[in-house]
Amino acid sequence: MADQGAADPGNNNNNKPEASEGTIIKVTVKTPKDKEEIAIAEDASVTQFKEEISRRFKAKQDQLVLIFAGKILKDGDSLSQHGIKDGLTVHLVIKTAQKAGDGGSTSASSSTSTQAGNTSASSPDTNPSSTAGSTGTTAPPTQTPNILTGFGDLAGLAGLGMGSANFMELQQQMQRQLMSNPEMLSQIMENPLVQNMMSNPDLMRQMIMANPQMQQLMERNPEISHMLNNPELMRQTMELARNPAMMQEMMRNQDRALSNLESIPGGYNALRRMYTDIQEPIVTCNPFSALGGTSESGAQPSRTENRDGGTTPSVPGMQSLLQQISENPQLMQNMLSAPYMRSMMQSLAQNPELASQVLMNNPLFAGNPQLQEQFRSQLPIFLQQMQNPEALSVMTNPRAMQALMQIQQGLQTLQTEAPGLMPSLMTGGVPGIPTGGIPGIPTGVVPGIPTGGGMPTENPASSPSSAGTNTAQQQLMQQMLQMFAGGGGGGGSTQTPEVRFQSQLDQLSAMGFINREANLQALIATGGDINAAIERLLGSQPS
Amino acid sequence: MAFSSFKVPRNFRLLEELEEGQKGEGDGTVSWGLEDDEDMTLTRWTGMIIGPARVSRTNYENRIYSLKVECGSRYPEAAPTVRFVTKINMNGINNSNGTVDSRSIPILAKWQNSYSIKIVLQELRRLMMSKENMKLPQPPEGQTYST
């Protein structure tokens, strides 16, 4: 071993990317039959080492498995990490037929089926940024990487502020972001809303189905619908999506599985077919899924193990959607006109159950069951408003949005300054109320948007002194404000009115006013004044 | 490696073995090292056996087997416990969790304090080539025991 052997030419680093500062060490590489001394930089990576080895041993890098001190050296490691120093020996195994898989890693056999499940995870898209119901659009069934395309769509909203007015582009970018930045993904995943969505397979399925493209896809490929209907698979997928590390693992497994397929005679063709059958329609459905298509490139012999990272620089977190919207009015327009948004709204409208679930999962409501109830009762109205084109047009009107935002800000200040003032503001159709919808947006409730949208329509309709004009409307507004007061701001009254007026409520019910909700409204409107509340109740009740 | 009749302290022994493992002493078919470089007790080791290649077409050809070796406090007076991580089908190896049965592997059964981790690995490799084991069908490559 002391003999240099072919070490001199070994020093020919033709185009070896050697670190200029690193010292060169001589490492002996031993195979069961052979032995070579290789000079390499001390701080080189295993990959670089393998390049050199592949040259010397005339084998492909893929076939090389390096072992040192009982451990397999992975490409991503560095030599120094393993303590490989000058004069030490590394064992080499040149794999013949199979690809160089880890000796100790799990078999990729069952990964394919789970992969199929993976992608449906892309669907659950409730996202801190209002959900664009893009659910279905992107769930490319069989192949993995597209998991994120779903998020790409949604979170696309969450705004990259990259200056791109085009909603679609935003999506793309977001997707790339997500791919390259796993923290972002985990941020999204951690949002309780998302988690709640994901833990509800029915919900997900509905969302997925709502998308016409998805439906088409399902017709063409019955396996997809089968997969969707398999709750176990869905759950698994959701778990996977929740855990980016796991996801990567799955992808790698899939890569391996694919590569194994390749080696089977005829396997390559099967892969190719698979690719064309499945990937392409998806790609046409959703241009962004192509972004994710990297590991799918099992169809191509050369592929990277990991998903293709984004090329865009990473954006630190997601900006508030509202900011985005105000900066970029076009965004709102696009967002609303996006087909899946519509379909999402439609499905929400048709299915109050769905809507209520989504609503209930909103963290704002999470701690406030009364609010939830109230909301639930108002749901049908909400849904109608969502359909109201006027509402939509307000949403798309940038100036209106800006005005709303200002109002919201004003309200916030007001809240901190004069907490007691809030309830009395509720008397009239306070313009601030629509903004109740707005905090809904950044916190990511879809109905938040329509509510915000719904409000403005009521606003012009109801004059400032609209006390009791329309009970439903008023209740709506009050609830929004409550939600706002309860969840937003942070300054003023964090107690729900119900808690505050508990004693009054009791008195009222003792007197015979059994409609608790109406009582509450009245109390809120009058700021806790029982007599005035009774007047209101008597006045608004027919009879 | 002068193991004379006096008992070499455990840690000295293990340190020596560590060094050997890094230098790749031996015929290049086995490799071993500490599982965790920070392990001051030098107890847990990982080992690799490169399956006998092309020796009359064994089923182990070109495969890499990963093992865990645990040198207890009485090592080297007491034999280490060995466990396969990579799935293998071989006499004396527990099929479900890969533990090596100390009684069926000769050198473990008749352990001497001059034996070392290297010798254990080499012996296991030799056994892979034995007539009885060579014919055994092996599980697909890359599978591990799920402990």
Side-chain angles (χ1 to χ4, degrees), chain A residues 333-352:
Chain A
Q333 175 80 31
N334 289 338
M335 180 173 85
L336 281 175
S337 56
Y340 25 78
M341 182 64 166
R342 282 216 196 285
S343 63
M344 170 82 162
M345 280 186 172
Q346 268 175 3
S347 56
L348 274 182
Q350 286 154 12
N351 186 354

Side-chain angles (χ1 to χ4, degrees), chain B residues 1-105:
Chain B
M1 243 192 336
F3 295 150
S4 43
S5 55
F6 81 101
K7 296 196 179 144
V8 184
R10 172 183 179 272
N11 287 358
F12 278 28
R13 250 298 282 279
L14 288 170
L15 280 173
E16 240 179 25
E17 294 200 43
L18 182 60
E19 205 180 329
E20 272 180 38
Q22 292 187 337
K23 293 221 182 90
E25 297 281 344
D27 49 10
T29 53
V30 294
S31 173
W32 64 99
L34 271 179
E35 182 172 329
D36 177 7
D37 288 330
E38 310 286 317
D39 180 10
M40 291 292 137
T41 62
L42 303 175
T43 311
R44 273 185 282 281
W45 296 69
T46 48
M48 290 261 168
I49 300 180
I50 300 170
R54 299 225 184 90
V55 179
S56 46
R57 293 266 128 204
T58 60
N59 288 335
Y60 310 90
E61 181 169 337
N62 252 349
R63 294 207 190 185
I64 300 175
Y65 292 93
S66 177
L67 301 93
K68 283 203 200 307
V69 180
E70 196 158 313
C71 298
S73 54
R74 289 182 36 229
Y75 181 89
E77 297 304 317
T81 49
V82 186
R83 187 169 78 77
F84 269 85
V85 173
T86 316
K87 276 200 179 157
I88 186 171
N89 191 0
M90 195 169 122
N91 283 322
I93 315 285
N94 182 314
N95 241 326
S96 53
N97 60 12
T99 46
V100 174
D101 185 4
S102 301
R103 294 157 303 182
S104 349
I105 307 294

Side-chain angles (χ1 to χ4, degrees), chain A residues 1 30 32-33 65 67-72 81 88-89 91-96 98 102-107, chain B residues 21-24 26-35 37 46-48 50 54 62-64 86 141-144:
Chain A
M1 195 199 307
K30 242 190 199 178
K33 294 175 303 194
V65 179
I67 298 171
F68 178 72
K71 297 205 187 77
I72 292 186
Q81 211 172 319
L88 295 185
T89 302
H91 297 287
L92 170 68
V93 176
I94 301 180
K95 304 219 138 237
T96 43
Q98 304 104 343
D102 286 348
S105 66
T106 31
S107 137
Chain B
Q22 292 187 337
K23 293 221 182 90
D27 49 10
T29 53
V30 294
S31 173
W32 64 99
L34 271 179
E35 182 172 329
D37 288 330
T46 48
M48 290 261 168
I50 300 170
R54 299 225 184 90
N62 252 349
R63 294 207 190 185
I64 300 175
T86 316
E141 184 173 0
Q143 288 194 341
T144 57

